[in-house]
């Protein structure tokens, strides 16, 4: 045995609940439907609070619930200080907070600051105003190039495909880095900055405990003209603040103002940035005078391999130590193919991580998913993640071992990525299909009616009802893991034990050990009591693609 290596991070203060919290993401339109209209709602979530309590989470992250035309699944917001009437009312929201807080569960809500919807009162006013009117200054309007007014101001692409510019009836163009129904805000405008502070205050005053900040790296843009051609733009992953549209240094002045406001509450409201930036650039988003925490998607974008997992964990614990925050760990969310499916696919023949997108384009037929292997790896990966220092983010349905729905028909798709790419991407609807609660029924217990995205026949076998009383089920494993984790959760330190290749072994303070076998052959376990494993052991040995916790 080699000499243990120790990595330390800042000791978690009792009041900083978010530092090692287990946060459960709810996509509200697909969680539970109380009124039977096929769309999930806030009363549906309230009805399932006992399920969340039994699961053992510390917080709920609620994806957008605001009034919206659903051009991008609710991330096109009409009104930042209200509830979509299809999902409920502000009174329902208050009841949800009350129900969660009564069970000591925190609530984090999504905030979408880069863009509004095209139905937001500001944008409606901007379109009704004459060219050059101050109402347009809250957004990014430009004329076409000299001599070619019918052409967009630049050849930039939107994230969802096609031009990043849309033309108005009077010939001007507005910037939208996502769907055309999501015009980008001009964050140099003082009214924009002031209004979002009011929004943060509005929800904080209602008792919200924290905010997840959508595309946090996009707010500030360098729109100096002439605009550079897209071929000359630096790669976003290597930009170091040089890209005109992403990760500009000026964005951190905004978050300093946000942090000042959030710190006026007792306890201070938390915030976590969704910032797709190089690892060394992430620290500023997670700084104490910024948002405080930032998502690290490195594990999500890693195949189930020893070397990748070890590298990602070491790097991110070091970054957390450097900036005084805590790391975040996540495998699935509303934007990616579920990890139980990704882990069952062969390696990506194009190189890079297996994101499952080509499999989606085949309607979930090619290549064949090894469902058993995918679930085995997903369970092992999750148990490993829950043993790491930092906060763990779970996505609704992963506790059921739910597979991605790859066979959604084109007529049922809703994601703008599918339409704007003209089918070159299938989109993200497959991970947003409403949850199965019962073995049978019109919508597997999601609601009294149908479901807005079609549920496949095989969903019933993954339902809560099917797993509730099965001690070997994935749901039971999650419940046990979260209960044990709560009892073992301790200071943010980790000691590596290097024994054999393909075995990731570390110790937390108090003697809590986590061992994951990435290899093909079973391996000997340390001489300690096994308190939980992601799958059955082979005598005294840990099988392939299995994690065990020991004390």
């Amino acid at each position: 045995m080699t000499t243990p290596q120790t990595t330390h991070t800042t000791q978690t203060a009792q009041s900083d609940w978010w530092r090692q919290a287990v946060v459960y993401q709810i996509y509200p339109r697909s969680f539970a439907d109380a009124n039977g209209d096929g769309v999930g709602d806030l009363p549906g979530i309230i009805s399932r609070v006992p399920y969340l309590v039994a699961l053992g989470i510390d917080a709920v992250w609620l994806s957008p619930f605001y009034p919206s035309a659903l051009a991008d699944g609710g991330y096109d917001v009409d009104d930042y200080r209200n509830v979509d009437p299809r999902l409920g009312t502000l009174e329902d929201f208050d009841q949800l907070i009350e129900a969660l807080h009564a069970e000591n569960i925190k609530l984090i809500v999504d905030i979408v600051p880069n863009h509004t919807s095209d139905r937001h009162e500001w944008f409606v006013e901007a379109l009704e105003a004459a060219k050059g009117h101050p109402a347009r200054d809250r957004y990014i309007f430009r004329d076409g190039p000299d001599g070619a007014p019918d052409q967009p101001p630049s050849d930039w692409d939107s994230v969802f495909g096609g031009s990043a510019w849309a033309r108005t009836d009077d010939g001007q163009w507005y910037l939208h880095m996502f769907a055309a129904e999501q015009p980008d805000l001009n964050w140099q405008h003082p009214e924009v900055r002031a209004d979002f502070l009011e929004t943060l205050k509005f929800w904080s005053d209602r008792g919200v405990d924290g905010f997840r900040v959508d595309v946090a790296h996009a707010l500030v843009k360098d729109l100096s003209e002439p605009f550079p051609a897209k071929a000359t733009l630096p790669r976003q992953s290597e930009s170091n603040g040089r890209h005109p549209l992403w990760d500009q240094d000026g964005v951190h002045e905004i978050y300093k103002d946000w942090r000042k406001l959030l710190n006026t509450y007792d306890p201070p409201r938390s915030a976590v940035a969704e910032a797709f930036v190089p690892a060394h650039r992430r620290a500023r988003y997670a700084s104490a005078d910024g948002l405080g925490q930032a998502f690290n998607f490195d594990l999500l974008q890693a195949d189930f391999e020893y070397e990748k997992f070890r590298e990602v964990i070491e790097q991110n614990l070091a970054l957390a130590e450097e900036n005084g925050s805590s790391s975040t760990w996540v495998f699935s969310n509303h934007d990616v193919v579920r990890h139980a499916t990704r882990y069952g696919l062969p390696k990506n023949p194009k190189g890079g991580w297996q994101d499952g997108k080509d499999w989606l384009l085949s309607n979930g037929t090619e290549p064949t998913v090894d469902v058993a292997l995918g679930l085995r790896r997903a369970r092992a990966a999750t148990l490993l993640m829950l043993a790491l220092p930092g906060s763990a983010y779970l996505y609704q349905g992963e506790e059921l071992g739910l597979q991605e729905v790859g066979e959604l028909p084109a007529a049922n798709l809703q994601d703008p990525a599918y339409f704007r790419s003209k089918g070159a991407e299938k989109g993200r609807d497959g991970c947003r299909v409403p949850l199965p609660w019962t073995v049978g029924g019109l919508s597997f217990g999601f609601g009294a009616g149908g479901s807005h995205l079609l549920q496949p026949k095989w969903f019933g076998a993954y339902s809560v009802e099917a797993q509730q009383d099965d001690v070997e089920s994935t749901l039971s494993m999650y419940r046990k893991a979260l209960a044990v984790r709560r009892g073992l959760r301790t200071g943010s330190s980790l000691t590596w034990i290097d024994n054999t290749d393909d075995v990731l072994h570390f110790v937390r303070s108090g003697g809590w050990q986590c061992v994951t076998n990435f290899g093909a052959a079973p391996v000997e376990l340390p001489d300690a009591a096994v308190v939980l494993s992601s799958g059955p052991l082979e005598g005294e040995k840990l099988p392939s693609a299995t994690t065990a916790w020991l004390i």
Side-chain angles (χ1 to χ4, degrees):
M1 180 182 296
T2 60
T3 303
Q5 305 163 26
T6 304
T7 300
H8 294 285
T9 57
T10 303
Q11 181 72 23
T12 302
Q14 191 65 28
S15 61
D16 294 335
W17 62 266
W18 48 271
R19 285 184 175 272
Q20 295 199 67
V22 175
V23 183
Y24 183 86
Q25 181 189 359
I26 290 180
Y27 189 74
R29 290 169 175 82
S30 296
F31 187 69
D33 173 18
N35 63 9
D37 66 354
V39 178
D41 45 42
L42 299 187
I45 299 172
I46 294 170
S47 74
R48 298 295 185 179
V49 167
Y51 173 79
L52 300 174
V53 174
L55 186 57
I57 59 170
D58 298 304
V60 164
W61 156 24
L62 189 62
S63 290
F65 53 89
Y66 312 106
S68 171
L70 302 183
D72 182 21
Y75 285 86
D76 47 315
V77 178
D78 298 348
D79 180 354
Y80 288 87
R81 298 196 279 273
N82 211 336
V83 174
D84 191 316
R86 290 167 293 187
L87 273 65
T89 64
L90 280 170
E91 289 73 23
D92 292 328
F93 185 89
D94 293 340
Q95 289 178 26
L96 174 60
I97 290 185
E98 183 179 359
L100 291 173
H101 283 180
E103 300 292 350
N104 199 29
I105 297 175
K106 309 290 188 183
L107 181 62
I108 298 169
V109 300
D110 240 309
I111 194 81
V112 188
N114 179 68
H115 45 262
T116 70
S117 81
D118 60 354
R119 306 195 312 179
H120 190 282
E121 61 179 0
W122 279 357
F123 195 72
V124 172
E125 181 185 4
L127 290 184
E128 290 176 348
K131 176 180 172 181
H133 192 280
R136 293 199 172 185
D137 293 342
R138 301 186 191 108
Y139 295 89
I140 300 167
F141 282 85
R142 294 292 187 273
D143 293 322
D146 291 342
D150 292 343
Q151 297 297 314
S154 74
D155 64 350
W156 299 339
D157 293 327
S158 83
V159 172
F160 292 152
S163 175
W165 299 92
R167 198 178 188 205
T168 63
D169 289 342
D170 61 10
Q172 274 206 305
W173 301 76
Y174 65 87
L175 183 70
H176 60 90
M177 291 312 303
F178 294 88
E181 297 87 352
Q182 295 168 292
D184 280 36
L185 286 162
N186 171 20
W187 272 87
Q188 304 300 339
H189 199 295
E191 285 186 49
V192 173
R193 298 195 179 208
D195 195 71
F196 270 88
L197 288 172
E198 282 300 312
T199 294
L200 294 173
K201 186 175 186 301
F202 177 86
W203 295 112
S204 296
D205 287 347
R206 293 191 100 89
V208 163
D209 301 285
F211 299 89
R212 179 263 186 187
V213 185
D214 188 58
V215 287
H217 59 306
L219 276 56
V220 172
K221 301 172 175 67
D222 178 2
L223 296 174
S224 305
E225 298 189 43
F227 295 138
K230 65 181 178 183
T232 67
L233 295 177
R235 290 176 56 187
Q236 183 183 344
S237 61
E238 301 172 353
S239 67
N240 288 318
R242 295 188 301 271
H243 198 292
L245 303 172
W246 310 107
D247 194 29
Q248 287 278 312
D249 290 335
V251 76
H252 300 292
E253 293 303 315
I254 295 169
Y255 297 137
K256 284 182 180 179
D257 289 341
W258 287 22
R259 176 45 56 197
K260 289 175 184 176
L261 172 67
L262 299 177
N263 282 350
T264 64
Y265 292 87
D266 184 19
R269 299 319 191 222
S270 71
V272 57
E274 181 202 37
F276 291 94
V277 299
H280 68 280
R281 299 279 297 178
R282 210 156 47 221
R284 292 187 68 184
Y285 294 90
S287 66
D289 62 352
L291 294 174
Q293 197 174 46
F295 277 119
N296 114 58
F297 297 110
D298 299 339
L299 267 188
L300 185 154
Q301 296 175 335
D303 290 336
F304 189 82
E305 297 173 354
Y306 168 83
E307 293 83 1
K308 291 299 296 183
F309 270 57
R310 176 73 181 252
E311 176 187 354
V312 165
I313 293 168
E314 287 185 332
Q315 181 183 48
N316 282 281
L317 290 181
L319 286 170
E321 180 181 24
E322 180 183 320
N323 65 28
S325 183
S326 69
S327 193
T328 59
W329 310 106
V330 57
F331 289 119
S332 286
N333 60 36
H334 64 293
D335 282 334
V336 298
V337 172
R338 291 182 176 276
H339 64 290
T341 296
R342 298 197 315 267
Y343 289 160
L345 289 167
K347 292 181 70 67
N348 188 346
K350 300 176 182 177
W353 67 293
Q354 175 55 273
D355 59 13
K357 288 186 176 181
D358 287 342
W359 174 82
L360 281 178
L361 285 174
S362 75
N363 294 321
T365 60
E366 295 292 337
T368 301
V369 177
D370 187 332
V371 174
L373 177 63
L375 180 57
R376 186 178 180 86
R377 287 174 169 175
R379 288 168 59 116
T382 294
L383 211 55
L384 184 159
M385 174 185 76
L386 291 173
L388 291 170
S391 55
Y393 282 78
L394 312 178
Y395 179 54
Q396 64 177 44
E398 72 168 77
E399 75 278 12
L400 305 176
L402 203 59
Q403 296 282 319
E404 184 84 359
V405 180
E407 62 267 38
L408 284 173
N412 190 222
L413 296 179
Q414 301 172 7
D415 193 341
Y418 172 76
F419 300 102
R420 288 188 60 84
S421 70
K422 296 181 172 60
E425 287 197 24
K426 186 75 177 284
R428 301 159 293 175
D429 293 315
C431 65
R432 302 177 179 184
V433 176
L435 293 188
W437 294 91
T438 59
V439 173
L442 184 61
S443 63
F444 299 101
F446 170 65
S451 60
H452 66 99
L453 287 167
L454 297 177
Q455 300 160 304
K457 293 179 180 179
W458 50 263
F459 248 35
Y462 288 86
S463 67
V464 175
E465 182 183 28
Q467 300 189 44
Q468 183 81 26
D469 299 321
D470 180 0
V471 295
E472 303 300 327
S473 71
T474 302
L475 176 59
S476 292
M477 188 203 79
Y478 269 74
R479 287 176 171 174
K480 291 175 190 173
L482 296 187
V484 172
R485 182 185 190 272
R486 190 182 295 272
L488 294 177
R489 191 164 51 190
T490 180
S492 298
S493 65
L494 178 155
T495 301
W496 292 109
I497 307 295
D498 292 323
N499 292 316
T500 57
D501 292 340
D502 295 328
V503 176
L504 201 156
H505 183 186
F506 58 84
V507 182
R508 299 284 302 275
S509 54
W512 174 17
Q513 300 185 57
C514 179
V515 185
T516 303
N517 183 7
F518 288 86
V523 297
E524 294 286 347
L525 282 167
D527 185 16
V530 176
V531 294
L532 186 62
S533 64
S534 64
L537 303 181
E538 294 184 10
E540 302 294 322
K541 292 187 175 182
L542 185 69
S544 173
T546 307
T547 295
W549 289 357
L550 307 94
I551 297 180

